[in-house]
Every structure is written in C-alpha cells, then in structure tokens.
Amino acid sequence: MNNHTRTHFHSLPALLAVLLLACVVSPMAMAQQRNPAQLIGQTVADTGSPHYRFERFVVHSDDGQRTWRVNVGIPAGVAPAAGFPALWMLDGNGALMEFDVPLLEELASKRPTVLVFVGYDNQQRIDSPARTRDYTPTADEPEGGGIAVGGGADALLEVLERRIRPQLARRVAVDADQQALWGHSLGGLFVLHALYTRSGAFQTYVPASPSLWWKQGVMLGEPERQFTANNAGHRARVLVMLGGGERDRDVSNRDMSNPRVLAHLKRVSGAPSDASVQVAERLRQVPGLDVEYHQFEGLGHGPMFRASLMRALHEIAGVRDRSGEPRP
C-alpha cells in the first residue's frame, strides 16, 4: 500500500476476505502485474558498498530534447592492465534495483566487472514512452492507432558510442574487448539491432524476451538477412533468453475486457511465439557467432526482466545464478 492510495476496511469479515484472496493468488501471477508508476526508491548506489563505488552522470541528445542518466558501478581496487570488463544494461533505473551488497561482493570476488546502467533522468523504474522511442529501430503506430512512435535506436547507439563511452573512459579503465550489452523486451529488440548494425561495439549480446513483434516482425526480415549475409566472421557471443510463459502466450492474468490489452495482444501476434527460438537457431549458422538459448520455464514477460539479468551475470561473470530468486 503506497502513500497515495489507502484502503479502509469497515469490518473484520472484509479484511479476512482480502487476506484470503492474497493467499490464493499465486506469487507468479502477482509478479506478472506491471506497475508503470513504480519508482526507483533507494538502491545500492545510494547506500554504498565496500566492494563497488558508484558514480552518476547525465548525457543529452544533440537537440537537447532527450536526456539519459547513467549510473556506473566501479569495482574497488586496481584495474587489470587491459581494464575491467563491462556489462551495459538498458532500462538502467530498473536494472539498478536488482543489485544488492551480497551480489556486488560476489562480483568483486569472481570477476570484477564495471556495471553501466543506462537509464532516464527521472525516478521511474521503467519510462515506457522514452524506451519505446529509443529502443526501436523503426517507427510504428501505437496501440489503437495514432501518430507513429519509435525509431530512435540508431540515435541511441550514437549516444552510447559518442557520449557515454568517453564519459565512462574518464572514470574507469574498461577492456574494449570485454563488453556486454543486456536488454529486456524492447531493450532486447535494441540489443539485436545493435548486433545487426554494430557487431563490433560489444562482444556479448544478451537479447532477453526481445519484442520481435514490433512493426509486424520487421526485425525478422531484411535486418536479419543483411546481417547473416554480411557479418563476415565477426566474433560475438549471443545469449538469447525467453520465458516459457511467453511461448505459451498465457493471458490468464490479463484483463481481456480492456481495449488496450486487446490491442497489445493483437500487436504481439506480429511475430510467432517461438520467434526468439527461431532467431537463435538461424544465428547459430552465422560464422563467428557463439549462440546460446535459455528458456525459463513458467516465467512470463514481466518476471523475465530480473531472471534474464541475473542469468546474464551468471553467464558473463561467473556469479551464482540468482535468476530464480526474488528481488532483494
């Protein structure tokens, strides 16, 4: 219960009924409920850690209309001669919420890794309009029709390369040959776009639950064909991740009377439910790529945010796999 909404119970039976309902709702169903208004709150970047220090900076687009907040977690101690490896995370505000002191301690002991949280300069966990603009390679009409939105992926790639990388280099020595990029949902779509258009920018790409339905599956067509034909043996590791519930297209927790829900479900039908599996299989045929596919049984789209990020840390840095554990 937050500070803005208070529920008053006028009788003990009413209170008991609510408590009983809370008991019968499954934890998974509760986890799949998305709260678009959720705020970041206090994170380990605010409370501190003996194993990492955090720095924050803000970058702007050329036209000054767009702003990104970048939190950087820097391992304590001296960097290796080649610099630290780095994990870049989209939806950086939300990603930061998944870290705690024990995880940072294990990271520092296993494989000290610079953590680059690319978020937005506000207190929102997920900024839906901004990520729709930035993570999509082409514009598309929003749910229910209207003015086309999106298409800012190339512009964001320029920001990563020309604005954020130089700022990062001024703060910590980073190994240019050990860079990983993780993104979930539309962020996962962006990761694939980065692989297809700038395969040398990172060495590991983690597209988690990629929104391959965007604009009727546009990324499944010419962008993929161009990449597979022209990659020319550039080496990269690709970790494709998907929830088993996403393949099943379980709508038991969706309000099917809501026109927006129905419009969204129609949009996601723009790609088959096993599109991510098919993409992984095709990318395995591309010389130079080391492709792995991870499916998380029973998980829907929302819980895959944390599960995929924790699995990425396990795969990249060797820490214990926390993909099945709740947020700290």
Side-chain angles (χ1 to χ4, degrees):
M1 194 177 300
N2 59 36
N3 294 330
H4 303 290
T5 305
R6 297 184 182 275
T7 302
H8 299 279
F9 298 101
H10 300 289
S11 66
L12 180 59
L15 175 59
L16 291 175
V18 171
L19 292 176
L20 178 61
L21 179 62
C23 291
V24 299
V25 176
S26 71
M28 185 61 66
M30 294 176 67
Q32 290 178 339
Q33 301 303 311
R34 186 168 70 96
N35 177 9
Q38 184 177 4
L39 301 181
I40 306 168
Q42 191 176 61
T43 69
V44 70
D46 303 305
T47 58
S49 161
H51 310 285
Y52 270 76
R53 78 176 192 275
F54 283 84
E55 297 189 12
R56 176 181 296 171
F57 60 89
V58 171
V59 296
H60 304 275
S61 60
D62 288 339
D63 60 10
Q65 300 300 307
R66 290 161 292 160
T67 305
W68 296 268
R69 177 194 297 166
V70 182
N71 283 282
V72 182
I74 302 172
V78 179
F84 290 113
L87 172 61
W88 296 61
M89 291 158 279
L90 302 173
D91 287 315
N93 293 0
L96 184 55
M97 295 171 66
E98 307 297 341
F99 284 74
D100 61 2
V101 171
L103 175 54
L104 294 178
E105 181 179 8
E106 188 180 0
L107 264 174
S109 65
K110 291 285 187 180
R111 191 183 188 211
T113 300
V114 172
L115 305 170
V116 186
F117 302 91
V118 182
Y120 295 100
D121 195 24
N122 55 47
Q123 294 304 305
Q124 294 175 252
R125 174 180 176 267
I126 300 293
D127 189 332
S128 293
R131 72 196 300 273
T132 298
R133 175 197 67 209
D134 291 339
Y135 297 167
T136 51
T138 55
D140 194 12
E141 289 187 0
E143 297 162 23
I147 300 174
V149 296
D154 286 326
L156 179 56
L157 280 170
E158 285 294 304
V159 169
L160 296 183
E161 291 286 335
R162 300 181 181 277
R163 299 296 177 89
I164 297 179
R165 280 197 192 276
Q167 289 265 17
L168 184 65
R170 286 195 281 271
R171 289 165 168 79
V172 59
V174 174
D175 188 341
D177 295 324
Q178 296 189 71
Q179 306 276 301
L181 176 66
W182 168 89
H184 169 262
S185 191
L186 288 177
L189 186 73
F190 179 90
V191 171
L192 281 176
H193 178 70
L195 171 67
Y196 292 169
T197 61
R198 306 197 187 193
S199 57
F202 299 89
Q203 288 69 50
T204 300
Y205 296 80
V206 190
S209 304
S211 298
L212 293 167
W213 50 264
W214 181 261
K215 201 172 183 182
Q216 293 298 302
V218 64
M219 284 287 283
L220 299 171
E222 191 61 22
E224 183 185 318
R225 287 192 292 270
Q226 287 286 337
F227 171 72
T228 56
N230 300 309
N231 186 54
H234 290 141
R235 302 193 62 81
R237 186 183 184 193
V238 185
L239 307 177
V240 182
M241 301 188 189
L242 191 71
E246 297 179 276
R247 290 192 67 177
D248 297 337
R249 293 259 166 96
D250 181 9
V251 297
S252 60
N253 297 310
R254 308 299 293 268
D255 180 4
M256 301 303 289
S257 65
N258 186 330
R260 289 181 61 83
V261 171
L262 295 177
H264 179 71
L265 291 175
K266 182 179 180 180
R267 292 188 80 198
V268 300
S269 67
S273 60
D274 64 345
S276 295
V277 186
Q278 294 180 24
V279 166
E281 291 175 351
R282 290 192 294 268
L283 290 180
R284 284 194 182 102
Q285 310 307 314
V286 179
L289 296 190
D290 176 12
V291 182
E292 302 168 45
Y293 173 78
H294 301 286
Q295 183 165 304
F296 298 77
E297 295 307 326
L299 285 195
H301 192 70
M304 276 298 296
F305 185 97
R306 173 175 171 78
S308 64
L309 179 54
M310 293 299 104
R311 183 57 182 256
L313 284 164
H314 169 69
E315 294 286 341
I316 294 168
V319 297
R320 177 171 58 82
D321 185 359
R322 294 168 169 80
S323 59
E325 300 176 7
R327 181 188 302 162

